[in-house]
Amino acid sequence: MRRLNKHDIKYTIGSTIALAMLACASGASAQDVPIIQPGAPGEPGRALSAEEAARVADTRYTEDDVRFMQDMIPHHYQAVEMAALVSDRTNRAEIVDLAGRIDASQEDEIEFMQTWLRDRGEDAPDPAKQHHGGSGHHHHHHKTHMDHAMMGMATPEQMEQLAALEGAAFDKLFLELMIPHHEGAVRMSQDLLSKRGSAYDPVLYDFVNDVINDQNAEITRMTALLASLSEDPRVDLAAGFRDAGEAISNLELVATLPKPQGFFDPENPVGLPPIIDPDEDEAEDEETATEWGARSPLLSFSNTDMAFFDDNLIVGNYHGFNIYKLDAEGVPELKSSVVCPGGQGDVSVVGDLLIMSVEQTRGRVDCGQQGVPEDVSAERFRGLRIFDISDLSQPVQVGQVQTCRGSHTHSVVSGPGRDGKIVVYNSGTASVRDEEELAGCIGDIPGDDRTALFRIDVIEIPVDDPSKARIVDSPAVFADSETGALAGLWRGGDHGDDTQDTNRTDQCHDITVFPSAKIAAGACSGNGIIFDISNPLKPRRIDAVVDKGFAYWHSATFNNDGTKVLFTDEWGGGGRPRCRVHDPMDWGANALYDIEDGKLEFRSHYKLPAPQSDKENCVAHNGSIVPVPGRDIFVQAWYQGGLSLIDFTDSSNPFEIGFFDRGPVHPERMMVGGFWSTYWYNGRIYGTEIIRGLDVLALKPSDYLSENEIAAAALADQGAVFNPQQQLPVTWPAVPVVAHAYLDQLERGNNLSADRLAELRVLVDTVEAGLASEERNTTLARDVRQTARDLRREDAAGEAAKRLAALADTLQEMADNLR
C-alpha cells in the first residue's frame, strides 16, 4: 500500500469534506419534515428554513464579534476627529507625527471593520454620517453596546474644550484624552478575547491582537511625550538602587541610612524577581539579555511604619523591627534589631510596651523564621504582639492577642488609665481564620451574624501583666442603624459611569483616634467614617461618606484641632503605578473634609502633581501633620512618588510647598519601593524607604514657609511620643518666635497694613529683650496686654481671624511672663 504524502492527505481530506457537504445538501433538499424553534413558555414556536437553522449553529463569528466591530468603528472615528484638530493648533513635530499615524491607521482600520461587517451581512455604521458635532457620541441605528466612558472616549465637553485650545495647552489635553482613548481600545480588545468562542475568525483574531499591540506602543510613546511637557524636576529621574536621581524642593536631606544587617537578602538586596534562562551570549546592556520571572520575592524585608518616643525611633518591617537612638540633630543610630516575621509589622509604643501588628499566615507564636506550613496549627500567630522594651537592647515578648483576621494596623486609643489598662482598636483585613485554629472565627457564611467580618476588635492590655491582654468586644461598626444588618455601608462595586470600583466595607484599614476630641476617623475600605469614642470601649459611628473616585479608603489624619480630616485612597493596593501622567487626579488621591456638627463635609481632592513613570508604584500613603502654628501642613508618602509637603489650611484649596523624590528603584522592572511613611517628629521628617532604608529631612525657608514658622514648629510639644493612628494635639510655648510666625502668616495673607505689622514686630522684639533680661517690666507688660486686646477687636474673618486670636493669646501669655 502506497504511503500518502502531505499533499495527498490534504487533497483526500478536502475531497472527503466536499463529498460530505454534498451528501448533507442532498439530504436537506429531500427532507420533508418541519424544523421548529420553540417559543418561551406559553408562547408559540416558529418554523425555520434550513438556512435559518444552520445560521443559528454558525460558529464562524459571534454576536460579541459583531458588537466589538460596531463599537470600535465610532471609537476609532473619535480618534480621527481629535487628530484632525492638530495641524491648526500645535507646532510640536511629535504631536503632528502622532496625529498622522492615528489618522492613517484608524481610517484604514475603520474601512477594514466596515468591510468585515458588510461581508457578513451585518450593519456597518458610517460614523461620518451618523456623528453629530464632534461630541464624542455616535448615533447609529444599532444599539451602543458599551459605555463610552469605559471605552476611554472623550466627553462632548472635553471635545469642545480641546477644539478651543492652542499651543502647549492643546498638546497637554490632546495627550491626556488620547492616552485613555487608546487604553479603552485595548480594554475592548482584551474583553473580546476573554469571551469564549469569540474572535474565532482568524482574520478578526489577528486584527484584535494588532489593535492591542499597536495601541499599547502608541500609549508608551504618548506617555513619554506627555511627561516631557512637564517642567517638574521629579519627571524622568534616573533609576537606581543606591544611585537614583534625586529632586528636592524646600527641604534638606539630613541623613540616609541603609537597612541594617539581617534585614535584606545580601544576594538580592533589591528583591528582584528571578531571571529566566538568561542568554549569556547577549550583551548585558541589551534589553533582550534579561527575561524576568513573573513573580517577585515576598515583601520579606520591606520597611513599613514608625513610632517615636523620647529620643527613640522604632521602624517596623515585615521581618521584625529595628530600634534607633536619635542624636541631637535627629539622626538615628541603630541600637538593636528584632527578627520576628509575620506581616507589615506596624508598631506603637506606650511606656515600656511596644505593640506590633501581625497578619500573615507565616507568623509564629515563637517569632520563628520557618513559617507555618500547615493549614491549621497551634504554632501560627496572627494578631497583636506585645514586647517589653524597658531594655532597648533586649526586647522581650510578654503578651499576645490572637485575632480572627490578624492585625493589619492598630490604634492606641487610651491608657493606661486608672485601671492600668491600655485600650487598642485592632483592624484586621485578611481572610477569616479557620475555626479549628481559633475558636469563634466564623467566615463569610450568608445569614450568620457571628461572622468576624464587618467588625473591629477592642483590645485591653493590662500594663502590669500584658500576658492577660484580650479582646473585650468586636463591635459591628458598619451595621445598618435601622435594620441591624452587618453590611450596612458600601457593599462593593462601582458608583456609575466613569467611577472607581470600590471595595466592600467589611473592615477598616486605619482608624486614627483623636482622644482629646473624643472622635476617631476610620478609613474603612469602601467608606470614610467618623466615630464617637467618648466611651473608648464602645466606638459609635456618627457619619460615613463615599467617594466615587476612591478604590480603597486607606488612612486618615486630622488637623491639629480635629476640625478637618484628610483621607487617602490606596488605588492599586500600593503595588501599582498610579501617578502616571494620564492617571486621573482624583483617583489614588487625598480627599479633604471639614467636620461640621459631627458630619463630614467634602471640600477637595489633592494628588501628587508630578507625573511618575510606569516603573514606580505610586499612590497616596501614610503621612502626618507638620506642627506649624496657624497652619495645617501635612507631609505625605507616595511610595516611589517620594514625599510631598502639603498646605491644606484652606481645605478647599490644598497646594504643595515642598517635595523630595528619587527615580525608580530599577530601570526595567516595576519594583515595590519608595516611602511607606513620612512623619514629623521633634523638628525632623523621617521617611521609611521600603527597599533602600531610612531618610531624615529638615524644612528649609522658602516663599511658602518662613524661618520663624520652621523654628516655631521645632518648639511644638508633641508629648514626647508619636504613634501612627493616634493624634495628640500639639501646643506651642508663648515665645517671641511663635508670635513672629503668626506675623509672617498675616503678612503673607495681606491681613494687616505694613505699618501695623512693623509696629507689632518691634513690640515682639522688645518683649524678647525684656524676657531675656529677666527683669520685672510692668509697663511693657501693660502695653502688650493692651495690644492683645486690640488684636482681638480687629475686623477679620476666616484664617486671618484665627491667627490674630492666636497671636493675641501668645502676647497675653508673654505679658504675664514679664511681671
Side-chain angles (χ1 to χ4, degrees):
M1 185 175 184
R2 182 173 67 90
R3 182 185 298 274
L4 298 176
N5 62 35
K6 63 180 180 181
H7 300 292
D8 295 327
I9 294 172
K10 180 178 181 181
Y11 177 81
T12 302
I13 293 173
S15 300
T16 303
I17 292 173
L19 289 171
M21 291 178 66
L22 180 61
C24 289
S26 299
S29 62
Q31 182 174 308
D32 195 27
V33 296
I35 303 174
I36 304 299
Q37 178 181 336
E43 296 182 2
R46 70 184 186 96
L48 299 177
S49 67
E51 292 78 9
E52 288 175 320
R55 188 160 55 244
V56 170
D58 190 345
T59 59
R60 290 173 296 174
Y61 69 92
T62 67
E63 181 64 23
D64 286 326
D65 295 337
V66 174
R67 291 176 179 177
F68 170 81
M69 294 298 234
Q70 291 175 337
D71 283 332
M72 189 62 82
I73 288 171
H75 188 277
H76 271 35
Y77 189 74
Q78 187 184 66
V80 172
E81 287 187 305
M82 293 168 67
L85 298 173
V86 167
S87 60
D88 295 332
R89 292 170 174 80
T90 185
N91 57 7
R92 286 188 70 109
E94 306 99 312
I95 302 290
V96 174
D97 290 345
L98 170 63
R101 290 195 303 272
I102 290 171
D103 185 62
S105 63
Q106 309 280 277
E107 286 278 19
D108 181 64
E109 290 178 357
I110 288 172
E111 183 178 352
F112 165 79
M113 290 186 285
Q114 290 173 326
T115 301
W116 188 94
L117 289 165
R118 292 190 190 108
D119 287 348
R120 289 154 180 79
E122 302 290 348
D123 174 33
D126 183 353
K129 294 180 179 179
Q130 297 156 344
H131 182 68
H132 299 282
S135 67
H137 286 281
H138 309 270
H139 305 287
H140 35 81
H141 66 268
H142 81 282
K143 181 182 177 183
T144 299
H145 302 99
M146 294 184 68
D147 177 77
H148 283 68
M150 292 302 293
M151 293 191 236
M153 295 179 71
T155 65
E157 295 76 17
Q158 288 171 327
M159 291 293 289
E160 291 172 5
Q161 182 185 4
L162 183 65
L165 296 175
E166 293 182 353
F170 172 84
D171 297 342
K172 185 173 184 292
L173 184 58
F174 177 79
L175 293 168
E176 288 176 342
L177 295 178
M178 193 63 79
I179 291 171
H181 192 279
H182 276 48
E183 289 181 328
V186 172
R187 284 196 301 271
M188 292 169 66
S189 302
Q190 292 172 336
D191 182 62
L192 179 69
L193 293 178
S194 70
K195 290 181 168 63
R196 186 179 296 274
S198 296
Y200 179 78
D201 176 355
V203 175
L204 175 58
Y205 181 79
D206 288 344
F207 170 74
V208 172
N209 280 286
D210 285 344
V211 169
I212 292 173
N213 294 332
D214 294 346
Q215 302 269 306
N216 275 331
E218 287 290 9
I219 289 168
T220 299
R221 285 190 285 264
M222 287 190 289
T223 299
L225 180 55
L226 182 54
S228 72
L229 300 179
S230 173
E231 297 180 357
D232 195 294
R234 288 168 282 185
V235 174
D236 203 26
L237 290 170
F241 176 43
R242 293 293 180 204
D243 56 351
E246 296 180 351
I248 193 165
S249 175
N250 300 332
L251 292 165
E252 175 190 357
L253 184 60
V254 176
T256 295
L257 285 72
K259 287 183 180 177
Q261 295 292 322
F263 277 76
F264 60 88
D265 181 352
E267 297 183 2
N268 187 12
V270 183
L272 289 168
I275 297 174
I276 299 175
D277 298 328
D279 187 347
E280 296 179 0
D281 295 331
E282 296 282 355
E284 291 185 2
D285 59 343
E286 292 183 11
E287 187 175 347
T288 56
T290 302
E291 183 180 353
W292 301 101
R295 299 185 66 185
S296 297
L298 291 169
L299 298 171
S300 302
F301 298 108
S302 294
N303 277 337
T304 57
D305 225 336
M306 296 174 281
F308 302 81
F309 66 101
D310 299 329
D311 58 352
N312 303 291
L313 162 62
I314 314 291
V315 176
N317 188 288
Y318 275 79
H319 199 50
F321 58 89
N322 290 285
I323 301 177
Y324 295 86
K325 181 70 71 174
L326 304 177
D327 68 15
E329 296 300 314
V331 176
E333 179 184 354
L334 185 66
K335 287 300 180 186
S336 63
S337 298
V338 175
V339 173
C340 192
Q344 63 185 44
D346 286 5
V347 290
S348 295
V349 177
V350 182
D352 289 334
L353 297 181
L354 182 147
I355 305 165
M356 179 183 183
S357 287
V358 182
E359 188 170 57
Q360 290 182 329
T361 56
R362 66 184 175 126
R364 293 181 57 88
V365 171
D366 61 4
C367 284
Q369 297 168 260
Q370 68 270 37
V372 185
E374 298 83 9
D375 291 337
V376 174
S377 173
E379 300 301 317
R380 179 173 287 114
F381 179 76
R382 295 170 64 196
L384 288 183
R385 298 190 193 274
I386 306 164
F387 294 87
D388 183 330
I389 57 170
S390 54
D391 180 351
L392 294 178
S393 66
Q394 292 291 329
V396 177
Q397 188 170 199
V398 293
Q400 294 182 338
V401 181
Q402 297 269 18
T403 67
C404 288
R405 300 183 72 182
S407 178
H408 196 72
T409 67
H410 65 270
S411 313
V412 176
V413 185
S414 64
R418 293 180 179 177
D419 58 359
K421 296 177 181 178
I422 302 166
V423 177
V424 176
Y425 293 158
N426 177 64
S427 298
T429 64
S431 58
V432 179
R433 297 168 76 167
D434 194 309
E435 191 172 13
E436 291 184 21
E437 184 172 88
L438 186 62
C441 294
I442 308 297
D444 196 359
I445 301 174
D448 194 332
D449 287 349
R450 296 174 300 165
T451 178
L453 302 172
F454 306 101
R455 302 177 185 278
I456 63 172
D457 299 314
V458 180
I459 294 173
E460 282 189 342
I461 304 173
V463 174
D464 292 341
D465 189 357
S467 67
K468 294 181 180 178
R470 64 190 181 98
I471 297 174
V472 294
D473 196 8
S474 294
V477 293
F478 315 124
D480 186 287
S481 57
E482 296 182 1
T483 66
L486 296 182
L489 295 178
W490 185 251
R491 298 197 178 192
D494 64 37
H495 305 261
D497 294 347
D498 200 24
T499 65
Q500 278 276 38
D501 189 2
T502 304
N503 286 46
R504 180 181 77 173
T505 302
D506 67 9
Q507 59 184 259
C508 284
H509 184 280
D510 281 13
I511 302 174
T512 297
V513 298
F514 202 114
S516 64
K518 296 181 173 55
I519 57 173
C524 301
S525 189
N527 290 92
I529 300 175
I530 293 293
F531 295 102
D532 179 340
I533 58 169
S534 300
N535 180 350
L537 299 179
K538 300 290 182 183
R540 181 176 60 88
R541 188 179 82 239
I542 55 178
D543 195 26
V545 292
V546 295
D547 190 302
K548 295 180 179 180
F550 266 41
Y552 185 76
W553 294 71
H554 174 273
S555 55
T557 305
F558 291 98
N559 66 338
N560 190 54
D561 60 7
T563 59
K564 303 172 187 174
V565 62
L566 183 153
F567 290 103
T568 68
D569 170 29
E570 196 177 36
W571 174 32
R576 304 286 295 279
R578 288 294 185 254
C579 302
R580 296 164 300 178
V581 69
H582 56 283
D583 285 325
M585 291 302 288
D586 56 348
W587 291 19
N590 300 330
L592 291 160
Y593 288 80
D594 288 349
I595 303 174
E596 298 179 356
D597 298 323
K599 299 294 183 182
L600 289 164
E601 300 293 340
F602 175 76
R603 292 294 178 255
S604 65
H605 287 113
Y606 175 87
K607 188 172 181 178
L608 184 74
Q612 304 290 304
S613 75
D614 62 358
K615 301 298 186 293
E616 296 171 285
N617 58 309
C618 178
V619 74
H621 213 235
N622 296 345
S624 77
I625 295 299
V626 177
V628 175
R631 297 174 69 177
D632 294 325
I633 296 177
F634 185 65
V635 59
Q636 180 170 14
W638 295 84
Y639 288 113
Q640 287 198 73
L643 71 83
S644 184
L645 203 62
I646 307 158
D647 185 310
F648 69 106
T649 308
D650 178 356
S651 50
S652 297
N653 184 37
F655 59 95
E656 187 176 59
I657 63 174
F659 59 77
F660 174 62
D661 189 18
R662 291 188 176 96
V665 173
H666 197 273
E668 298 175 18
R669 292 289 302 187
M670 206 298 297
M671 305 298 302
V672 175
F675 286 116
W676 182 285
S677 300
T678 53
Y679 296 143
W680 168 277
Y681 186 72
N682 283 355
R684 292 288 185 261
I685 293 169
Y686 297 84
T688 42
E689 259 265 7
I690 293 173
I691 292 176
R692 295 178 174 115
L694 179 65
D695 289 308
V696 185
L697 298 102
L699 300 173
K700 288 181 65 176
S702 67
D703 291 341
Y704 299 110
L705 206 57
S706 69
E707 288 188 21
N708 290 317
E709 289 174 301
I710 295 172
L715 295 175
D717 182 0
Q718 293 182 267
V721 66
F722 176 93
N723 286 318
Q725 299 174 215
Q726 180 193 51
Q727 279 191 249
L728 308 175
V730 303
T731 57
W732 297 269
V735 294
V737 72
V738 173
H740 276 303
Y742 291 125
L743 289 171
D744 291 345
Q745 295 163 12
L746 292 165
E747 181 176 11
R748 191 182 294 121
N750 294 315
N751 302 126
L752 292 173
S753 69
D755 290 344
R756 181 61 165 151
L757 281 165
E759 175 187 315
L760 290 169
R761 290 196 188 278
V762 169
L763 179 63
V764 172
D765 289 341
T766 304
V767 172
E768 184 171 19
L771 291 171
S773 70
E774 297 184 359
E775 294 181 1
R776 184 183 181 93
N777 192 331
T778 56
T779 301
L780 178 58
R782 183 178 63 250
D783 292 343
V784 174
R785 282 194 292 272
Q786 181 58 52
T787 300
R789 287 192 290 269
D790 293 342
L791 288 171
R792 292 190 177 95
R793 290 194 290 265
E794 289 278 353
D795 184 15
E799 294 302 326
K802 294 178 183 178
R803 287 164 180 160
L804 285 166
L807 175 59
D809 291 342
T810 302
L811 291 174
Q812 178 69 52
E813 191 170 342
M814 286 196 298
D816 294 341
N817 293 334
L818 284 168
R819 293 180 179 178

